[in-house]
Amino acid sequence: MATQNIYILAIESSCDDTAASVMLNGKILSNVVAGQSIHEAYGGVVPELASRAHQQNIVPVVQQALKRANVDKKQLSAIAFTRGPGLMGSLLVGTSFAKSMAYGLNIPLIDVNHMQAHILAHFIDEDGFNKPPFPFLAMTISGGHTQIVKVNSHFDMEVIGETIDDAVGEAFDKSGKILGLGYPAGPEIDKRAKLGNPKAFKFTKPKVEGLNFSFSGLKTAILYFIQKETKANPNFIEENLNDICASIQYTIIGILIDKLKLASKQTGIKHIAIGGGVSANSGIRQALKDGEGKFGWTTYVPKFEFTTDNAAMIAIVGYLKFLEGEFAQQSVTASSRLKI
Ligand code: KG4
Ligand code: ZN
């Protein structure tokens, strides 16, 4: 019997990237992302500008994704889209587009939780990347989220820790702003951290019970530290930038690894996966590798293009839900605070 070819078109528009991807039976055929540089001038994402840019980008991005995959829309088996969480105006663009396209083509519609997608990105068929066995722990770290999730199966997930204020990406970006770096500052802090001394300056780690995180105190501590030092020496930042970046990154990684250690100890799970934009950070990647030797972990880091916001991760969830026959109704609506 011939096996059925399942083509999924996936759309992601939860924040400031408009993305579309085409997947065939769990393998990515195309993965198109249009970023929005307009927010750089404002030092952060401006929701109204984001939804307007999604409206401009969505048609060409979807067309590109189909073209690069060499797939005609008539071949599609279903359309998957990000239902939430995210910015309401941004989510609405992808949701309405997906609903009308599925209706027009008379094919199933599949709603996807963005946070589940960051985790299930590890299940995309990709040479050289292993899929974590269940149960495993997933830490999602980005500009919008910081969570530790116990993943029992594809769709049985339990959030066991999360931030009570800022996300870890915001800790990087807001520290960068204090230092006068561009937005988003994470990549530059990472680059400079490689050239600096991580122990040059000491920042106290926040004391948060259990597996939850807090990053807003660290940002304030960095602000006061910089204000004090620049009062004494106006050139303090310029003269010490690499050391400051290395020290900030070292502190943030310490916070993340401490909580992962605790989560692993509490659950007895040693398979650890990461996802989200901050998993591009070279320091966190190294710290995870070190954890393999130190704590007996097996770690999983997705391919770079699947770590930041993308539609390939939406496509894999769409494919897995398609196999389960879990479809959405045309009455489905975007949900900005959707939970795992
Ligand atoms: O997943 P993402 O593209 O978007 C969401 O926020 O959902 O993550 C973006 C975040 C930004 O805060 C950015 O500064 C951070 O990921 N980031 C990094 C690095 N690359 C991106 N943070 C630290 N080191 C990096 N190399
Ligand atoms: Zn994300």
Side-chain angles (χ1 to χ4, degrees):
M1 199 178 75
T3 45
Q4 192 192 354
N5 274 340
I6 298 166
Y7 287 97
I8 305 281
L9 167 69
I11 292 161
E12 151 67 33
S13 72
S14 65
C15 189
D16 61 339
D17 294 305
T18 319
S21 169
V22 177
M23 169 175 270
L24 168 61
N25 298 340
K27 256 194 177 317
I28 292 300
L29 301 181
S30 66
N31 185 27
V32 179
V33 184
Q36 302 179 358
S37 54
I38 185 141
H39 306 286
E40 281 163 22
Y42 298 89
V45 176
V46 185
E48 289 79 3
L49 296 179
S51 52
R52 200 177 307 162
H54 282 306
Q55 280 172 345
Q56 284 163 354
N57 293 342
I58 194 143
V59 173
V61 164
V62 167
Q63 276 171 343
Q64 267 295 319
L66 288 165
K67 196 170 157 211
R68 283 192 206 168
N70 202 15
V71 167
D72 187 87
K73 60 181 189 300
K74 292 197 183 75
Q75 290 174 271
L76 296 173
S77 315
I79 298 189
F81 69 97
T82 305
R83 183 176 171 219
L87 300 171
M88 197 47 162
S90 294
L91 289 167
L92 279 172
V93 178
T95 304
S96 328
F97 186 91
K99 280 167 73 170
S100 10
M101 192 162 171
Y103 185 77
L105 292 169
N106 196 21
I107 54 174
L109 182 65
I110 302 172
D111 59 314
V112 173
N113 179 310
H114 180 92
M115 298 308 298
Q116 280 191 345
H118 269 302
I119 295 170
L120 295 176
H122 288 276
F123 293 87
I124 295 172
D125 267 341
E126 194 66 43
D127 292 344
F129 289 82
N130 294 328
K131 296 173 181 145
F134 300 116
F136 65 92
L137 293 177
M139 184 169 72
T140 37
I141 40 178
S142 78
H145 10 85
T146 307
Q147 289 187 326
I148 299 180
V149 182
K150 181 169 173 264
V151 188
N152 302 314
S153 70
H154 288 137
F155 296 106
D156 176 7
M157 301 185 184
E158 213 180 314
V159 178
I160 56 173
E162 62 190 328
T163 182
I164 56 169
D165 42 55
D166 290 349
V168 61
E170 284 180 280
F172 275 102
D173 298 338
K174 289 180 178 176
S175 306
K177 200 168 180 179
I178 296 168
L179 300 173
L181 305 179
Y183 174 84
E188 185 169 357
I189 293 183
D190 187 4
K191 211 164 76 194
R192 290 187 171 276
K194 288 182 192 148
L195 309 169
N197 171 9
K199 299 200 172 145
F201 308 106
K202 194 166 164 38
F203 302 105
T204 1
K205 287 191 222 163
K207 291 194 175 48
V208 191
E209 285 291 304
L211 297 174
N212 284 341
F213 299 89
S214 166
F215 290 102
S216 72
L218 176 65
K219 171 195 65 193
T220 315
I222 293 166
L223 178 66
Y224 290 162
F225 166 77
I226 295 294
Q227 282 175 343
K228 187 173 131 248
E229 295 294 339
T230 46
K231 217 174 200 172
N233 170 13
N235 298 325
F236 177 76
I237 295 180
E238 285 159 47
E239 288 169 12
N240 299 280
L241 192 51
N242 293 343
D243 284 350
I244 302 170
C245 288
S247 303
I248 292 173
Q249 182 165 304
Y250 179 76
T251 311
I252 293 176
I253 291 170
I255 296 169
L256 296 175
I257 295 292
D258 281 355
K259 295 290 180 176
L260 267 183
K261 268 162 64 182
L262 186 61
S264 172
K265 199 170 151 210
Q266 283 184 2
T267 58
I269 298 172
K270 287 178 184 282
H271 288 274
I272 298 183
I274 56 168
V278 181
S279 48
N281 184 271
S282 60
I284 188 75
R285 285 171 175 244
Q286 187 56 48
L288 279 180
K289 270 267 153 281
D290 295 345
E292 299 202 334
K294 276 201 251 175
F295 319 119
W297 292 349
T298 308
T299 61
Y300 304 82
V301 182
K303 197 174 173 191
F304 184 74
E305 63 177 300
F306 305 144
T307 59
T308 53
D309 285 353
N310 66 85
M313 68 182 194
I314 307 303
I316 185 66
V317 184
Y319 176 64
L320 293 168
K321 280 191 151 186
F322 187 97
L323 295 179
E324 307 262 322
E326 271 201 49
F327 303 121
Q329 301 296 318
Q330 268 292 330
S331 56
V332 67
T333 51
S335 170
S336 64
R337 290 173 179 275
L338 191 65
K339 297 260 180 273
I340 272 187

